[in-house]
């Protein structure tokens, strides 16, 4: 007998959910069963992000650094940045240089005496936020043009001392607040377009994932490009006909995990719950052990000598 000759097996959402229900000793009977399974599946993928690095979600990205600007938004579906460099002469065929930029904590960044010192960035604080937009009672006190770098609002006490606001469709970054005036403003951030705004326009807080680089980029080595490798969120479960945002080798783990999640919600699965949990953990162990870097690791100790 001949083999199939194909290696395309996968499960769309409906078949994945049916398999999970059958492992619970039940069946997918209604639209609500599919709805609750989709909700559980989305929670499951979030749990996977908390368990560690998922190699298939690692992507490379870049931020073009601007002279005099220290704060930059990054993609809202970013979970964390894994590795970062500052690149000079980005795209040059013969003179491109990548230089390591060290990641620092919020507490370390906060103790830098002068955050507006200029030079080639050597440190970065990664601020992991929710990307939610929070409404406030703050409004513009005066009209601003599309190029204004200082913005006066009615009550700056409702805003963080540095971050992002949204006025209309424009996202604006700012580094400092003096009284009720936002200073060192960076216009048209997060893919938006700088525009003029009128006194009385509403000002919202936009909690964006962002990087704070130090020193603030100067013009000496421009253009600088911040290159990063990020771990992104898994895509949502979908509408019932789509496949999941995972490699085929993770399908057994996803089915086992979804069966355990569903089993916690249906009475007929309670006798199997401990088995479903142990099966899920076994499948996760196998999947996570396989989904790892297989390159050699070299550790070089740093030796300090004191005279």
């Amino acid at each position: 007998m001949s083999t199939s000759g194909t290696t395309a097996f996968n499960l769309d959402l409906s078949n994945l959910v049916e398999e999970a229900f059958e492992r619970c000793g039940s069946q997918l009977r209604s639209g609500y069963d599919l709805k609750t399974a989709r909700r559980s599946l989305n929670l499951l993928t979030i749990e996977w992000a908390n368990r560690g690095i998922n190699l298939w979600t690692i992507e490379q990205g870049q931020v073009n650094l601007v002279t005099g600007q220290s704060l930059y938004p990054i993609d809202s579906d970013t979970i964390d940045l894994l590795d970062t460099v500052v690149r000079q002469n980005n795209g040059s065929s013969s003179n491109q240089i990548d230089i390591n930029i060290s990641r620092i904590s919020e507490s370390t960044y906060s103790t830098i005496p002068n955050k507006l010192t200029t030079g080639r960035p050597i440190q970065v604080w990664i601020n992991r936020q929710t990307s939610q937009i929070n409404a406030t009672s703050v409004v513009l006190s005066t009209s601003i043009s599309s190029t204004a770098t200082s913005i006066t609002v009615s009550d700056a006490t409702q805003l963080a001392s540095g971050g992002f606001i949204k006025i209309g469709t424009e996202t604006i970054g700012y580094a400092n607040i003096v009284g009720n005036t936002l200073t060192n403003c960076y216009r048209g951030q997060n893919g938006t377009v700088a525009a003029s705004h009128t006194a009385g326009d509403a000002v919202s807080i936009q909690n964006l994932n962002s990087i704070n680089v130090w020193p603030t980029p100067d013009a000496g080595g421009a253009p600088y490009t911040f290159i990063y490798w990020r771990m992104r969120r898994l895509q949502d479960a979908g509408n019932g006909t789509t496949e999941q945002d995972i490699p085929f080798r993770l399908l057994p783990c996803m089915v086992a995990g979804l069966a355990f999640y569903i089993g916690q919600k249906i009475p007929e699965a309670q006798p199997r719950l401990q088995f479903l949990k142990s099966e899920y953990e076994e499948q996760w162990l196998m999947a996570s052990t396989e989904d790892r870097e297989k390159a050699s690791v070299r550790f070089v100790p740093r030796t300090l000598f004191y005279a």
Side-chain angles (χ1 to χ4, degrees):
M1 295 180 66
S2 61
T3 60
S4 66
T6 63
T7 55
F9 173 77
N10 208 324
L11 293 174
D12 62 26
L13 179 62
S14 297
N15 282 309
L16 193 153
V17 172
E18 283 183 354
E19 176 68 18
F21 266 97
E22 288 170 359
R23 293 191 182 198
C24 293
S26 184
Q27 290 182 328
L28 177 63
R29 298 188 179 92
S30 67
Y32 180 78
D33 287 344
L34 181 61
K35 178 180 178 180
T36 190
R38 284 174 55 195
R39 183 168 64 244
S40 292
L41 188 56
N42 283 323
L43 290 172
L44 176 66
T45 57
I46 294 172
E47 180 202 319
W48 284 11
N50 290 331
R51 280 182 178 245
I53 297 173
N54 303 314
L55 292 186
W56 72 93
T57 65
I58 297 176
E59 297 179 343
Q60 183 177 340
Q62 67 179 48
V63 176
N64 296 321
L65 302 185
V66 178
T67 301
Q69 179 175 338
S70 59
L71 174 66
Y72 302 84
I74 55 177
D75 301 293
S76 60
D77 62 343
T78 298
I79 295 174
D80 202 358
L81 302 189
L82 306 178
D83 292 289
T84 57
V85 296
V86 168
R87 177 171 295 171
Q88 293 181 248
N89 306 313
N90 188 25
S92 172
S93 59
S94 60
N95 199 28
Q96 179 175 288
I97 303 173
D98 285 354
I99 305 171
N100 182 57
I101 180 169
S102 301
R103 181 171 181 170
I104 60 175
S105 66
E106 174 275 328
S107 59
T108 300
Y109 182 76
S110 68
T111 58
I112 294 175
N114 185 356
K115 297 175 179 59
L116 299 181
T117 298
T118 60
R120 175 180 62 80
I122 60 173
Q123 295 181 319
V124 59
W125 167 44
I126 302 167
N127 190 357
R128 302 165 64 190
Q129 291 293 316
T130 63
S131 296
Q132 294 176 337
I133 298 176
N134 299 334
T136 68
S137 59
V138 180
V139 297
L140 279 179
S141 293
T142 59
S143 298
I144 58 172
S145 68
S146 61
T147 58
T149 57
S150 294
I151 299 173
T152 302
V153 298
S154 59
D155 181 12
T157 61
Q158 297 186 43
L159 307 179
S161 59
F164 297 92
I165 58 172
K166 192 159 190 175
I167 306 175
T169 60
E170 181 188 1
T171 297
I172 302 171
Y174 63 97
N176 304 96
I177 294 180
V178 179
N180 284 327
T181 300
L182 315 184
T183 63
N184 301 104
C185 295
Y186 318 128
R187 305 300 300 274
Q189 299 293 292
N190 201 35
T192 62
V193 177
S196 59
H197 302 284
T198 306
D201 285 353
V203 177
S204 299
I205 299 170
Q206 191 161 13
N207 300 304
L208 294 175
N209 285 325
S210 61
I211 58 170
N212 294 259
V213 297
W214 186 86
T216 298
D218 63 0
Y224 296 112
T225 306
F226 181 82
I227 306 294
Y228 60 85
W229 286 262
R230 72 180 185 125
M231 184 170 69
R232 63 163 175 83
R233 281 186 61 169
L234 271 69
Q235 296 176 17
D236 296 339
N239 57 12
T241 60
T242 53
E243 296 174 354
Q244 300 309 298
D245 180 26
I246 61 168
F248 74 93
R249 61 184 185 274
L250 270 291
L251 278 173
C253 181
M254 178 164 277
V255 170
L258 182 58
F260 171 59
Y261 271 55
I262 291 173
Q264 297 177 73
K265 298 192 284 188
I266 58 177
E268 56 264 42
Q270 295 306 304
R272 303 184 180 207
L273 200 56
Q274 191 58 44
F275 165 75
L276 293 173
K277 178 177 174 58
S278 62
E279 175 66 12
Y280 170 41
E281 293 298 340
E282 180 179 348
Q283 291 293 336
W284 171 260
L285 180 61
M286 286 193 291
S288 60
T289 300
E290 194 284 332
D291 190 61
R292 60 181 174 83
E293 292 280 10
K294 297 178 175 65
S296 300
V297 178
R298 180 169 175 248
F299 296 95
V300 179
R302 174 179 293 181
T303 304
L304 300 177
F305 296 93
Y306 296 93

